[in-house]
């Protein structure tokens, strides 16, 4: 037993922890959990917790059902308020999934990201990520297919004090901070009921864990405030959708590999090639960064959502933006990827983003000229005339791009790649088979 495991066991005894929740995600990013009693945790560290992998979306076939969840003691945190009884303390740890022979499961999204983080480390880089996570607060999620009712009528940066959950963000930030997830900013976003909370940067794997914890806590805090939270990319047809703008930087030791003081924009050749990799491979990774049918309602019909593979300095309509908040500050040089939405599986999304950027660095991709136009106001014909490559406009188009991509297949591994495609094609077929209210209003009297 190592020191981290000993620390966890000691903390559980000293803090009188009654339940330990072991978390992991399926391939689509749904959080899974198994609870163990403190007396069973030492055995879980040594042997893991066995479960039926064939019952988890995309994990294994029935003939390979035996799967093991191994708790990662470095992720141990006490959950702030799962019970009204303050004495019933509960903690959580994320798990790594393995097979009975001890090999890491190729179906484990956490393992997919760990492989990509290691690939970057082999090139001398450590990746740091800082997401801006948007979501909506609504009265109820039980709407029988009708649009939900937002909890307020606020707009960008509004100080809403008369809405239905005036203390929500304060309670949410307290809960996040209590679990060791530092918050940089929080504010009301553009649409009624829309919120944004920005997490302070962390390494890629820790940040993916933090995002899964974030989504869980936000939903819990919302319920305790008498409302509900949704990370659906675009729940309202006439309002902007919810993105998860992701800031990324690569460091070589203590040095920011994206910063070059001699460049006119302080962008190193490494940063330029990284951006070029994202632009080149953006269409083929879109199905992972924007994994739902609804995701493309945001990118096609949303304000400031990217529609073409472009980059720019402080250009919020571009796919990749280079923030200019702190010019000359080496540590803050980073790139912001604006296509990602809040309903992705963060382990897989960050895996393909890092893979695309690293491919650009390894192969020395050339960065095209930056876009200075408002891309969202250009027609498709105008974008093409200016040499901009369109992003997929539907899940179907994104899946076809993904099917042709060796980069995505290599990054996800055969098992995750195959299952993801099979699951998403089923989603697309089910969506296509629907007869919508718009069609009935438009065509029924023909």
């Amino acid at each position: 037993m190592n020191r981290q495991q000993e620390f966890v066991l000691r903390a559980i005894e000293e803090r009188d922890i009654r339940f330990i929740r072991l978390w992991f995600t399926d391939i689509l990013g749904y959080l899974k959990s198994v609870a163990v009693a403190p007396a069973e945790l030492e055995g879980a560290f040594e042997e893991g917790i066995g479960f039926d992998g064939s019952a988890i979306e995309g994990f294994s076939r029935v003939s390979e059902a035996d799967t093991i969840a191994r708790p990662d003691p470095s992720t141990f945190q006490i959950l702030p308020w799962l019970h009204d009884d303050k004495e019933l303390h509960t903690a959580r740890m994320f798990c790594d999934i393995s097979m009975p022979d001890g090999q890491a499961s190729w179906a484990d999204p956490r393992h997919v990201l760990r492989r990509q983080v290691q690939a970057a480390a082999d090139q001398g880089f450590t990746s740091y990520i800082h997401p801006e996570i948007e979501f909506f607060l609504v009265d109820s999620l039980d709407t029988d297919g009708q649009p939900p009712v937002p909890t307020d009528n606020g707009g960008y940066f509004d100080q809403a004090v008369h809405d239905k959950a005036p203390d929500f963000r304060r309670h949410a930030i307290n809960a996040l901070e209590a679990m060791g997830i530092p918050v940089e900013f929080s504010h009301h976003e553009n649409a009624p009921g829309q919120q944004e909370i920005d997490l302070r940067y962390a390494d890629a794997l820790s940040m993916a864990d933090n995002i899964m914890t974030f989504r869980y806590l936000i939903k819990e805090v919302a319920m305790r405030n008498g409302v509900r939270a949704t990370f659906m990319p675009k729940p309202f047809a006439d309002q902007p959708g919810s993105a998860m703008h992701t800031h990324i930087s690569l460091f070589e030791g203590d040095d920011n590999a994206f910063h070059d003081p001699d460049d006119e924009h302080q962008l190193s050749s490494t940063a330029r090639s990284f951006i070029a990799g994202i632009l080149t491979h953006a269409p083929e990774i879109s199905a992972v960064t924007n994994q739902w049918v609804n995701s493309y309602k945001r990118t096609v019909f949303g304000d400031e959502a990217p529609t073409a593979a472009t980059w720019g300095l402080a250009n919020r309509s571009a796919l990749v933006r280079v923030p200019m908040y702190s010019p000359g500050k080496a540590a803050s040089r980073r790139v912001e990827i604006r296509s990602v939405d809040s309903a992705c599986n963060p382990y897989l999304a960050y895996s393909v983003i890092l893979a695309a950027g690293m491919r650009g660095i390894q192969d020395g991709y050339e960065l095209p000229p930056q876009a200075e136009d408002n891309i969202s106001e250009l027609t498709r014909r105008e974008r093409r005339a200016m040499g901009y490559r369109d992003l997929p406009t539907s899940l179907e188009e994104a899946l076809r791009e993904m099917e042709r991509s060796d980069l995505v297949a290599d990054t996800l591994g055969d098992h995750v790649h195959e299952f993801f495609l099979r699951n998403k094609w089923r989603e697309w077929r089910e969506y296509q088979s629907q007869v919508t209210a718009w069609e009935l209003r438009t065509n029924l009297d023909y």
Side-chain angles (χ1 to χ4, degrees), residues 8-65:
V8 169
L9 293 174
R10 187 166 60 251
I12 286 172
E13 182 177 0
E14 292 174 353
R15 299 293 294 274
D16 193 25
I17 304 296
R18 303 294 183 86
F19 305 97
I20 301 96
R21 295 192 175 191
L22 306 182
W23 285 359
F24 60 97
T25 69
D26 67 14
I27 287 178
L28 299 182
Y30 286 107
L31 189 63
K32 303 296 180 179
S33 176
V34 58
V36 298
E40 304 301 319
L41 188 57
E42 185 172 352
F45 280 140
E46 293 177 358
E47 301 179 3
I49 299 292
F51 66 95
D52 178 5
S54 67
I56 303 296
E57 195 76 10
F59 262 49
S60 61
R61 295 169 292 188
V62 172
S63 60
E64 302 167 341

Side-chain angles (χ1 to χ4, degrees), residues 159-368:
Q159 176 62 45
V161 294
H162 302 298
D163 59 26
K164 297 178 182 177
D167 298 321
F168 167 80
R169 286 204 303 270
R170 176 167 59 85
H171 292 162
I173 291 170
N174 286 341
L176 291 165
E177 297 275 0
M179 290 197 67
I181 302 176
V183 173
E184 277 198 343
F185 309 108
S186 73
H187 61 86
H188 198 287
E189 256 297 340
N190 286 311
Q194 191 177 34
Q195 315 292 322
E196 177 180 308
I197 298 179
D198 301 358
L199 303 185
R200 187 175 296 278
Y201 72 88
D203 67 273
L205 186 60
S206 296
M207 184 53 71
D209 289 342
N210 287 349
I211 291 169
M212 294 306 304
T213 305
F214 178 98
R215 293 203 294 226
Y216 175 83
L217 290 179
I218 291 299
K219 287 178 176 288
E220 184 77 21
V221 172
M223 286 191 292
R224 288 175 175 264
N225 278 263
V227 296
R228 295 295 186 270
T230 175
F231 293 90
M232 182 179 180
K234 192 171 173 67
F236 300 100
D238 58 346
Q239 298 292 345
S242 290
M244 189 168 72
H245 300 153
T246 295
H247 299 247
I248 296 182
S249 58
L250 297 181
F251 274 69
E252 295 178 290
D254 295 330
D255 297 325
N256 188 342
F258 281 180
H259 183 261
D260 181 355
D262 298 324
D263 180 77
E264 60 176 328
H265 306 309
Q266 292 92 51
L267 276 178
S268 69
S269 59
T270 297
R272 291 177 177 274
S273 293
F274 187 91
I275 297 171
I278 298 297
L279 300 185
T280 300
H281 298 287
E284 63 205 76
I285 68 174
S286 286
V288 181
T289 58
N290 306 83
Q291 69 166 332
W292 305 101
V293 166
N294 181 255
S295 296
Y296 298 86
K297 304 296 177 69
R298 167 187 160 256
T299 56
V300 176
F301 304 108
D303 295 340
E304 294 188 352
T307 55
T310 59
W311 77 282
L313 299 172
N315 186 343
R316 294 181 180 273
S317 68
L319 168 63
V320 179
R321 186 177 80 96
V322 179
M324 300 301 290
Y325 296 126
S326 305
K329 186 178 180 181
S332 68
R333 178 54 60 229
R334 62 193 187 275
V335 300
E336 176 189 356
I337 299 161
R338 297 178 62 82
S339 58
V340 191
D341 64 41
S342 300
C344 69
N345 180 332
Y347 300 102
L348 301 187
Y350 289 159
S351 294
V352 294
I353 287 171
L354 284 173
M358 291 303 300
R359 179 70 60 85
I361 294 172
Q362 292 164 12
D363 293 351
Y365 287 9
E366 292 291 330
L367 185 63

Side-chain angles (χ1 to χ4, degrees), residues 96-147:
D96 294 311
I97 307 303
S98 69
M99 306 308 292
D101 62 2
Q103 291 189 0
S105 169
W106 287 88
D108 180 11
R110 205 165 184 260
H111 178 57
V112 172
L113 180 54
R114 182 179 277 110
R115 290 201 313 269
Q116 193 54 47
V117 167
Q118 185 58 52
D122 290 342
Q123 300 297 318
F125 297 111
T126 301
S127 55
Y128 290 99
I129 291 178
H130 146 58
E132 304 172 357
I133 310 175
E134 297 173 353
F135 56 94
F136 281 91
L137 293 182
V138 297
D139 283 358
S140 173
L141 301 178
D142 184 14
T143 66
D144 193 27
Q146 299 303 306

